[in-house]
Amino acid sequence: MKKRFSNLWFAFVMLVFMIMLSSAVFMMTIIFIIKRFTIIEPGQFHAFGFLAAVLLTGILTGTLITAVIGQKILLPISRLREATKEVAKGNFNVQLYENIKIEEFREMAKDFNKMVQELQGIETLRTDFVTNVSHEFKTPITAIEGYAALLQNSDLPAEEREEYAGKIISSTRQLSMLTNNILKLSKLENQEIIIEKTEFSLDEQIRQALLLLEPQWSGKQLDLEIQLAETGFYGSEELLMQVWINILGNAVKFSREYGNLSVTLTESPQNVSVEITDTGIGMTPEVQRHIFEKFYQGDKARASYGNGLGLPLAKRIVDLCGGRIIVSSKPGQGSTFLIELPRG
Ligand code: ADP
């Protein structure tokens, strides 16, 4: 609740009181000196003129004190004004002095500093995002340009022609996946709830996701262990499919040949849990800390087919469902992604 009489109000009242008191003391001192040392004989001065002179001096003294003290009190506001001007210009590198006696001004300075730090963080994220997006676009575009230029050579053997055309196709796919993911993520980030919900079979959906990834896992000859409890689920079928494809896709991508991939689906009246475990390259704690950041790729060498948006997308979808993703991993031993979803 807002305090009716704030400290600022108290400080203001005290200030006015102090000014009035000092003016009164000043006036009384003058009267005392005049009386004590009989500087003016009692009959010599006109009572009204004398009173006016003392009053005027009192007012002048009060104004002088207000000017001096007021300047000190209003200093934080002047500083805030200067700092706000800088922020308006786009300079987030400003901080206000926080060691102020009056609580309201001290809190205001602290809040302002916090706000500027947040803005600076958002600005960094924005510029990082733009840098990452342009970098991710540049690589396939450069490849397309380069291979298309090579294809212009009419003497090119058929084999090389085919190879270069293939490279152009895969770079185009990479670009299309990138734009798709950026669009999906920005759409999901602007969304707070899932509207299109239907009842569907979650175990069937996970089986379908595994089937879609069959060329990849059978290529690596992974040993699959699947235990899926029959589970009906009410939610967004399309969005959840994306979660399984991204997380299962990573489990396969970061697996070595002949590794194991286990997928378990269990349910309780409140939750459904999907556990995806691979025996692949695993992650260091440092990599684990960043995997949900946009464009983050821990292992650049293996991440060529991807753009660091798979896990941020999966996390955003799971967040929107009110669930969570728990990751445990050891470098060289493998990773487990546990996805818990509340029954909607
Ligand atoms: P991408 O797969 O396109 O690189 P993701 O956002 O899906 O992007 O993953 C981010 C990073 O997380 C990966 O580059 C990788 O370093 C790490 N990662 C994700 N899943 C696994 C996994 N199952 N095993 C090892 N590392 C993983």
Side-chain angles (χ1 to χ4, degrees):
M1 211 178 78
K2 228 172 120 184
K3 273 196 280 178
R4 182 135 183 242
F5 300 109
S6 64
N7 289 353
L8 183 61
W9 168 82
F10 186 69
F12 179 73
V13 171
M14 283 313 286
L15 173 70
V16 173
F17 175 72
M18 289 303 287
I19 291 166
M20 287 170 92
L21 188 72
S22 29
S23 304
V25 167
F26 180 78
M27 284 193 276
M28 271 151 62
T29 317
I30 289 189
I31 292 171
F32 174 77
I33 293 171
I34 289 170
K35 267 194 98 183
R36 174 79 176 76
F37 300 102
T38 53
I39 293 170
I40 302 169
E41 290 297 322
Q44 260 184 344
F45 65 79
H46 193 266
F48 183 75
F50 173 72
L51 212 67
V54 172
L55 242 161
L56 201 73
T57 331
I59 291 170
L60 280 176
T61 320
T63 315
L64 205 74
I65 297 170
T66 315
V68 175
I69 301 180
Q71 202 246 352
K72 259 201 136 177
I73 288 205
L74 294 177
L75 189 66
I77 295 191
S78 317
R79 285 193 184 133
L80 176 70
R81 189 174 154 259
E82 289 303 315
T84 319
K85 246 195 216 165
E86 285 301 307
V87 174
K89 274 192 250 163
N91 173 16
F92 301 122
N93 225 345
V94 279
Q95 286 284 290
L96 284 178
Y97 178 70
E98 287 183 10
N99 209 354
I100 308 168
K101 283 201 183 75
I102 301 170
E103 191 193 345
E104 272 78 359
F105 286 152
R106 191 172 56 244
E107 289 304 312
M108 185 184 72
K110 278 186 188 165
D111 289 343
F112 179 87
N113 290 344
K114 220 189 281 169
M115 178 191 81
V116 173
Q117 274 166 12
E118 288 287 320
L119 283 172
Q120 176 120 48
I122 293 169
E123 179 61 11
T124 315
L125 274 182
R126 195 186 65 84
T127 43
D128 279 2
F129 183 78
V130 173
T131 316
N132 281 326
V133 168
S134 31
H135 174 78
E136 290 290 329
F137 270 100
K138 233 184 243 164
T139 319
I141 286 175
T142 314
I144 292 171
E145 196 184 354
Y147 289 116
L150 286 173
L151 278 178
Q152 276 181 327
N153 179 2
S154 49
D155 302 330
L156 215 61
E159 210 173 273
E160 277 178 42
R161 185 178 294 275
E162 207 166 298
E163 184 196 334
Y164 298 159
K167 295 239 158 95
I168 290 177
I169 291 170
S170 86
S171 295
T172 318
R173 280 200 191 123
Q174 217 176 315
L175 272 181
S176 134
M177 197 169 83
L178 179 65
T179 35
N180 266 342
N181 279 347
I182 293 175
L183 287 177
K184 265 186 217 161
L185 198 57
S186 86
K187 194 174 158 222
L188 288 169
E189 276 177 344
N190 289 316
Q191 186 176 333
E192 286 310 319
I193 47 162
I194 293 176
I195 312 157
E196 289 148 29
K197 286 185 177 183
T198 49
E199 181 83 36
F200 61 95
S201 159
L202 199 58
D203 50 303
E204 190 48 44
Q205 186 180 53
I206 294 173
R207 248 177 246 116
Q208 270 176 27
L210 280 164
L211 210 63
L212 277 172
L213 293 166
E214 201 262 346
Q216 284 92 310
W217 56 257
S218 65
K220 283 195 173 173
Q221 313 215 30
L222 298 186
D223 188 10
L224 261 62
E225 196 183 310
I226 319 279
Q227 277 181 321
L228 307 172
E230 243 176 66
T231 308
F233 190 77
Y234 182 68
S236 167
E237 196 170 354
E238 190 191 331
L239 290 180
L240 278 177
M241 185 66 165
Q242 182 83 61
V243 173
W244 316 131
I245 292 283
N246 291 4
I247 296 180
L248 286 170
N250 277 343
V252 177
K253 181 162 76 178
F254 296 104
S255 275
R256 303 186 185 93
E257 281 200 338
Y258 306 106
N260 296 327
L261 171 61
S262 103
V263 187
T264 318
L265 166 62
T266 49
E267 62 164 342
S268 75
Q270 293 85 30
N271 280 315
V272 296
S273 305
V274 180
E275 199 175 89
I276 297 167
T277 302
D278 64 69
T279 52
I281 62 165
M283 290 174 267
T284 59
E286 175 61 16
V287 170
Q288 285 177 58
R289 250 196 300 282
H290 299 287
I291 54 174
F292 295 111
E293 289 167 15
K294 281 177 237 170
F295 296 107
Y296 178 81
Q297 293 189 295
D299 185 346
K300 277 274 173 197
R302 278 171 207 248
S304 57
Y305 193 73
N307 38 49
L309 289 176
L311 287 182
L313 253 172
K315 182 167 181 344
R316 181 65 192 151
I317 296 168
V318 172
D319 282 350
L320 277 175
C321 296
R324 57 183 184 155
I325 303 180
I326 301 163
V327 184
S328 51
S329 181
K330 276 211 174 116
Q333 292 186 20
S335 314
T336 297
F337 282 75
L338 172 68
I339 301 104
E340 281 182 355
L341 298 168
R343 285 191 172 277

